[in-house]
């Protein structure tokens, strides 16, 4: 019988995975009537959820991890 043993040592991911190349931070919200507002880059989809229209929104200056479903009222 042959038994193999493997030891793996994990290291934390670097904060700057490509040295010298950091993405720009997302833009800050704009104040309109004392409310924070964000700019829409693209509407990706729409659907009815609990009889209410919602939009799948890609926000300008933000990554795909920030895509969100927003009610029509927003």
């Amino acid at each position: 019988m042959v038994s193999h043993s493997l030891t793996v040592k994990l290291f934390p991911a670097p904060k700057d995975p490509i040295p010298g190349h950091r993405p720009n931070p997302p833009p800050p919200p704009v104040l309109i009537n004392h409310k924070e507002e964000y700019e829409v880059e693209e509407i990706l989809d729409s659907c009815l959820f609990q009889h209410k229209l919602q939009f799948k929104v890609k926000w300008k200056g933000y990554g795909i991890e920030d895509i969100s479903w927003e009610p029509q009222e927003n």
Side-chain angles (χ1 to χ4, degrees), residues 43-61:
I43 301 294
L44 303 171
D45 201 358
S46 64
C47 73
L48 284 176
F49 180 72
Q50 296 180 349
H51 305 289
K52 294 183 180 183
L53 184 59
Q54 291 193 341
F55 297 98
K56 190 174 186 180
V57 177
K58 166 74 172 80
W59 301 102
K60 187 171 184 174

Side-chain angles (χ1 to χ4, degrees), residues 1 5 8 12 17-18 21 28 34 37 40 49 54 65-66 70-71 74:
M1 174 186 258
S5 176
V8 177
I18 303 172
H21 180 72
H34 306 287
E37 300 283 344
V40 172
F49 180 72
Q54 291 193 341
E65 65 277 3
D66 295 308
E70 299 294 327
N74 287 356

Side-chain angles (χ1 to χ4, degrees), residues 26-41 57-62 70-74:
V30 177
L31 282 178
I32 298 177
N33 295 328
H34 306 287
K35 264 182 80 177
E36 290 185 343
E37 300 283 344
Y38 296 85
E39 188 174 351
V40 172
E41 182 175 312
V57 177
K58 166 74 172 80
W59 301 102
K60 187 171 184 174
Y62 288 81
E70 299 294 327
Q72 182 179 11
E73 299 82 49
N74 287 356

